[in-house]
Amino acid sequence: RQAMEDSGGAGMDFRFTEEEERFREEVRSFIKEQFAARSTEAKGWQTAFYFSFIRKLVEKGWTAVHWPKEYGGQDWPIMMQVIFNEEMAYHRAPRPDFMGLYIAGPAIIAYGTPEQKDRHLPPIVRQETFWCQGFTEPGAGSDLASLQTKAMEDGDDFIINGQKTFTSLAHLAHWCILLARTDPDAPKHKGISCFLVDMKTPGITVRPLIDMAGMHTLNEVFFDDVRVPRSALLGDKNMAWYQAAGRSLESERSAIGNSASARRLLEELVEYVREVKGRDGLAANPMLKQRLAEMAIEIEVGRMLSYRVAWLQSKGLPLGYMPSMVKLYHSELSQRLVNVGMQVLGLYGSVQKGSKWAQLQGRVTRNYLVTVANTFGGGTSEIQRLLIATKGLGLPRETALTSDFDKGAAAIES
């Protein structure tokens, strides 16, 4: 990158500076040190090791790294975020609360009152509160503006009624950043407001949604006459849609963690093939070698796409359709990779973690089930392709054939 800048910025150069490389080594050393001290029992989410690791991140100031310093962040440049996120994902290190740090916190920084900032931002930085996102509804996913949850004024309060679904970690969250309709007569992109809702408020019911892998990450959340004070309103009433579109605080959007996770899994698959060579002759299988080689190429392409997004951000250049391209590429790549992994494992691929016959700790089997959702969570592949076609290729949006997709694309783009 330094060479590129010295040459007048003519092109992209993905070499990192000496300072950035030193920081990468610091992150690697920190993770290895923490993992070396981990007990064999302390693994997984919400364990003693998880909380110990997060406390260490807080002590080092590595939680809200993309936030301004005045709110407890490091105000890091994009490339430092990329390095941190890449190493954390590659080493499968415990990650801080995503919703609080990347969704709720930035929104509060941009539109919160001084009281809201004082109340919510310090606990998020210290990882004392966890957040969930109350956006998606049974009839409002990609076309988020169709949401039907209502928040009606009643004196100095709002009364919320409705349902949210696929709400990640709502059963563990202390707070919810919620979108609700405050003007039912307004056009659907108008009349939507944002609220900061205490999950202990009477009238909130959380029900688990168990996924294909048997994991409880998602939930459906019901709001029955949930009364919240006016101080829970974030930003201007009826303006949440436009606030979201104009939010200024930007974290890195390269999705480098997806690339790093895929690279780590591929390395483990290759090592597995080498180890079982004498027993099954996997390494001599020409078709399998072709598939693994193809995965190596595709993962490297994904890494370069991620670096390109990060480079654009570091230069303050418009991202355009690139985040859609990166999201689409990585989500579909993850499915192709685990399909290859299942071919490598053969019948062992049907064995779940916990069995003595499970290979690679059952990780391929679990990911085979989990990655099914990757091509619709966070915006379907169809929506991403539409954005690439319109924003990237300049094709028209207003056609009868794509009208439904267009609505969803506007929601994802915002």
Side-chain angles (χ1 to χ4, degrees):
R1 290 198 309 120
Q2 188 62 53
M4 178 204 66
E5 292 171 359
D6 291 344
S7 65
M12 290 176 287
D13 187 330
F14 294 144
R15 289 175 292 180
F16 293 92
T17 66
E18 292 183 5
E19 179 186 6
E20 290 165 346
E21 292 292 2
R22 283 195 298 269
F23 176 67
R24 186 185 294 276
E25 288 303 318
E26 181 183 358
V27 175
R28 286 176 178 171
S29 298
F30 169 79
I31 295 173
K32 291 177 182 178
E33 178 184 327
Q34 299 307 311
F35 274 33
R38 175 182 58 180
S39 68
T40 56
E41 295 78 20
K43 298 179 181 179
W45 164 250
Q46 293 282 298
T47 62
F49 173 69
Y50 171 85
F51 288 110
S52 172
F53 192 97
I54 297 302
R55 282 197 299 271
K56 296 292 179 57
L57 289 180
V58 172
E59 292 170 3
K60 294 184 73 67
W62 286 358
T63 51
V65 296
H66 59 296
W67 288 14
K69 290 185 178 180
E70 62 183 295
Y71 299 116
Q74 297 290 341
D75 204 14
W76 277 0
I78 292 298
M79 297 312 297
M80 295 289 274
Q81 291 184 49
V82 168
I83 292 170
F84 179 76
N85 292 341
E86 186 172 27
E87 293 302 320
M88 292 284 284
Y90 178 83
H91 293 284
R92 301 185 180 124
R95 303 300 299 272
D97 172 41
F98 178 87
M99 289 299 175
L101 291 169
Y102 290 88
I103 304 296
I108 294 170
I109 290 174
Y111 299 107
T113 64
E115 292 75 19
Q116 289 172 331
K117 293 176 181 179
D118 290 342
R119 180 177 188 180
H120 293 294
L121 296 181
I124 293 176
V125 174
R126 297 192 299 263
Q127 290 293 278
E128 296 169 350
T129 57
F130 293 95
W131 287 72
C132 63
Q133 182 184 49
F135 285 16
T136 302
E137 298 183 2
S142 294
D143 186 13
L144 185 59
S146 295
L147 64 87
Q148 296 299 309
T149 296
K150 294 180 174 60
M152 298 293 99
E153 290 186 77
D154 183 34
D156 291 332
D157 298 331
F158 286 87
I159 299 178
I160 302 173
N161 283 281
Q163 178 187 354
K164 300 295 180 177
T165 192
F166 302 129
T167 309
S168 299
L169 303 179
H171 59 298
L172 301 175
H174 303 96
W175 290 86
C176 176
I177 180 167
L178 175 77
L179 291 183
R181 192 165 297 284
T182 44
D183 186 351
D185 299 322
K188 69 178 188 177
H189 288 86
K190 301 180 180 179
I192 299 175
S193 299
C194 185
F195 295 89
L196 309 177
V197 180
D198 188 335
M199 289 295 288
K200 293 182 179 179
T201 306
I204 297 178
T205 302
V206 178
R207 295 179 184 172
L209 294 173
I210 307 302
D211 64 21
M212 294 173 62
M215 299 168 58
H216 178 198
T217 301
L218 303 174
N219 304 269
E220 52 184 354
V221 185
F222 298 87
F223 298 84
D224 299 305
D225 292 330
V226 175
R227 183 177 292 271
V228 299
R230 184 171 293 275
S231 60
L233 177 66
L234 179 65
D236 296 329
K237 179 184 171 185
N238 297 330
M239 294 298 292
W241 190 267
Y242 305 99
Q243 290 172 182
R247 193 166 63 213
S248 58
L249 185 62
E250 185 82 272
S251 60
E252 70 100 351
R253 299 175 62 188
S254 71
I256 191 66
N258 295 325
S259 169
S261 297
R263 180 161 47 91
R264 174 72 180 273
L265 183 57
L266 177 65
E267 290 173 1
E268 291 174 337
L269 286 172
V270 171
E271 185 62 27
Y272 177 83
V273 168
R274 290 197 185 106
E275 288 178 354
V276 300
K277 176 180 179 181
R279 186 177 69 200
D280 297 323
L282 287 178
N285 185 319
M287 292 298 294
L288 191 56
K289 289 193 291 186
Q290 291 284 335
R291 294 300 304 277
L292 290 171
E294 183 66 27
M295 287 299 98
I297 295 169
E298 292 189 25
I299 289 170
E300 187 64 15
V301 170
R303 192 180 191 183
M304 294 300 103
L305 285 172
S306 293
Y307 281 167
R308 182 182 182 189
V309 170
W311 180 84
L312 289 170
Q313 282 190 277
S314 71
K315 298 301 178 185
L317 299 174
L319 301 184
Y321 62 94
M322 284 302 300
S324 290
M325 183 179 288
V326 169
K327 193 276 178 190
L328 173 67
Y329 187 88
H330 283 304
S331 62
E332 295 191 352
L333 172 61
S334 69
Q335 294 176 346
R336 293 194 295 272
L337 177 60
V338 292
N339 276 321
V340 173
M342 294 294 278
Q343 293 176 28
V344 169
L345 296 182
L347 291 178
Y348 288 111
S350 64
V351 182
Q352 301 261 7
K353 181 180 180 181
S355 168
K356 67 177 182 178
W357 302 107
Q359 306 297 309
L360 301 179
Q361 301 180 20
R363 185 170 289 113
V364 173
T365 307
R366 184 179 67 250
N367 286 351
Y368 181 77
L369 299 172
V370 171
T371 56
V372 169
N374 287 5
T375 45
F376 57 85
T380 66
S381 292
E382 290 80 6
I383 293 295
Q384 306 304 334
R385 284 187 167 89
L386 180 64
L387 287 169
I388 294 168
T390 55
K391 298 180 68 174
L393 303 180
L395 297 175
R397 298 176 63 140
E398 297 298 333
T399 67
L401 193 61
T402 62
S403 59
D404 289 339
F405 285 140
D406 189 59
K407 298 173 185 176
I412 297 299
E413 183 178 349
S414 296

